[in-house]
Amino acid sequence: MQRIAVSGLSVVYASGLHAVNGVSFALEDGASLGIVGESGCGKSTLTMALLGLLPPGARISSGSIVIDGSETVGASVLSMRKMRWREMAWIPQGAASALSPVTSIFGQFVQTWKAHGQVDVAALRRRAEQLFADVELAPHWLDVFPHQLSGGMRQRVIIALALLFDPRLLLADEPTTGLDVIVQKQVLEVLKRLQAQHGATLIFVSHDIGVVADLCRQVAVMYAGEIVEQGATGDVLSTPTHPYTIALKQSFPDIRHPERELVSIPGRMPALYAGPTQCTFSSRCPFARERCRIERPHLRPIGGRQVACHFAEQAEAMRTAVASGNAWQGTETA
């Protein structure tokens, strides 16, 4: 069953910034998609659009979001509020700021429970204790306040709270940012196990391709509001095809290859105040040609994945050049 289908989604801010440009993807029940890219590429804006929680001044300018067969673009605030937590739930980046500091953990479960029309608090207690067991927390932690928990424990509380009504779609926006690597690994293992256990569809937003490689079966690489490469995680990360994906992979250390040359992508991502008419990566790409600067590439099938690059067929040569560390020598970038 298709859980979510996004087609041609674009989000514009009141300033004129085009934060998301024509994003499309579809996920079946139980699928897992990692959305990766550097800060400012539109990942979080995309997540907020899917949840119907865009901030004031931002709007969906075009496109469609169908969740469980229902179109949500243009849906009322009330209908979206009913859908959130029951059909889809959000695991935010900062558990400390997401939890109220003046309400006990169980009190926050109660608020969520009653907000969705439930009144049996005894049943809620049983449900909360079950969820705490699922995230490997003892039930007595329900009766404390957020400041009494460690960062990793607070993140587990957020995961348990997100699963309160057993939603079929989970959206996690960099939920392990700020945690040390040991706690991060523990939280990811909990999330992976629960996603498999509940059979939910997972969209996991991160700047860390290592985390996505461990957690998600599919990956979409975003740059300047667009998806530039999308496919099976193993394929995309083992043989990246878009120049940005190639460079992004080469910018992360790999303990299996400590001698590997790391790269830093020169320049900065463009701020788009109009729909792009050229390749958005062309100002930073060492392989850009005249065509890239006058014609916007669109996603097309290449080797079992979708890639938005005019010269994707030359990916092997591009990977070799980036791996050598010499790709940007003599290249001017904006």
Side-chain angles (χ1 to χ4, degrees):
M1 175 182 175
Q2 191 172 75
R3 184 60 58 193
I4 180 171
V6 179
S7 178
L9 185 69
S10 296
V11 178
V12 179
Y13 282 84
S15 63
L17 178 67
H18 290 238
V20 176
N21 286 298
V23 166
S24 299
F25 63 86
L27 296 173
E28 300 295 317
D29 201 21
S32 53
L33 172 70
I35 300 177
V36 300
E38 64 191 275
S39 296
C41 73
K43 305 185 302 295
S44 293
T45 296
L46 172 60
T47 304
M48 293 298 100
L50 300 181
L51 288 162
L53 291 174
L54 285 171
R59 63 181 177 86
I60 294 175
S61 59
S62 62
S64 169
I65 304 170
V66 177
I67 298 175
D68 291 340
S70 298
E71 175 63 62
T72 65
V73 174
S76 68
V77 172
L78 180 59
S79 64
M80 290 302 296
R81 186 176 295 150
K82 289 180 178 179
M83 179 178 286
R84 285 191 295 270
W85 238 290
R86 286 193 172 276
E87 296 179 46
M88 61 177 174
W90 178 40
I91 303 173
Q93 177 174 338
S97 57
L99 294 168
S100 170
V102 296
T103 306
S104 71
I105 300 299
F106 186 64
Q108 296 181 59
F109 273 80
V110 172
Q111 290 173 350
T112 306
W113 187 250
K114 291 184 175 180
H116 289 273
Q118 303 298 310
V119 295
D120 189 343
V121 176
L124 169 62
R125 184 73 191 200
R126 293 190 295 271
R127 174 64 174 156
E129 289 183 358
Q130 173 195 339
L131 289 168
F132 262 40
D134 287 343
V135 298
E136 301 174 357
L137 288 175
H140 70 267
W141 292 115
L142 281 164
D143 301 310
V144 304
F145 290 82
H147 73 272
Q148 296 174 273
L149 302 174
S150 69
M153 293 171 75
R154 284 194 294 265
Q155 201 60 56
R156 293 181 191 213
V157 168
I158 287 292
I159 293 172
L161 195 54
L163 293 171
L164 183 57
F165 294 103
D166 200 19
R168 309 307 299 165
L169 176 62
L170 289 174
L171 295 98
D173 188 0
E174 304 202 42
T176 58
T177 298
L179 302 179
D180 67 63
V181 292
I182 302 299
V183 176
Q184 181 185 86
K185 180 67 174 177
Q186 293 170 347
V187 170
L188 289 174
E189 287 300 323
V190 167
L191 191 56
K192 186 189 302 185
R193 174 171 51 80
L194 291 176
Q195 193 249 340
Q197 178 181 319
H198 290 257
T201 299
L202 174 66
I203 298 175
F204 188 91
V205 174
S206 180
H207 64 279
D208 190 333
I209 59 175
V211 170
V212 168
D214 185 46
L215 189 63
C216 302
R217 292 189 291 273
Q218 299 177 58
V219 65
V221 181
M222 283 193 73
Y223 182 79
E226 304 173 311
I227 292 178
V228 297
E229 186 164 1
Q230 181 176 351
T233 304
D235 294 341
V236 171
L237 297 185
S238 62
T239 55
T241 300
H242 191 281
Y244 178 67
T245 313
I246 295 170
L248 190 66
K249 179 187 176 185
Q250 199 72 20
S251 69
F252 279 84
D254 186 341
I255 61 173
R256 297 167 300 180
H257 304 286
E259 76 289 347
R260 193 182 71 173
E261 185 79 22
L262 297 182
V263 303
S264 176
I265 305 173
R268 60 184 178 181
M269 191 164 47
L272 300 177
Y273 289 95
T277 57
Q278 62 180 24
C279 173
T280 55
F281 190 55
S282 60
S283 63
R284 303 172 74 187
C285 180
F287 311 108
R289 305 177 194 177
E290 185 61 24
R291 181 183 178 186
C292 307
R293 299 181 179 92
I294 61 175
E295 180 184 345
R296 178 188 179 189
H298 295 280
L299 285 173
R300 58 192 176 97
I302 297 286
R305 73 196 66 179
Q306 299 283 319
V307 184
C309 176
H310 294 309
F311 305 104
E313 288 82 2
Q314 300 170 26
E316 185 174 355
M318 290 190 283
R319 288 194 294 270
T320 300
V322 172
S324 71
N326 299 321
W328 277 275
Q329 287 190 0
T331 302
E332 294 292 331
T333 56

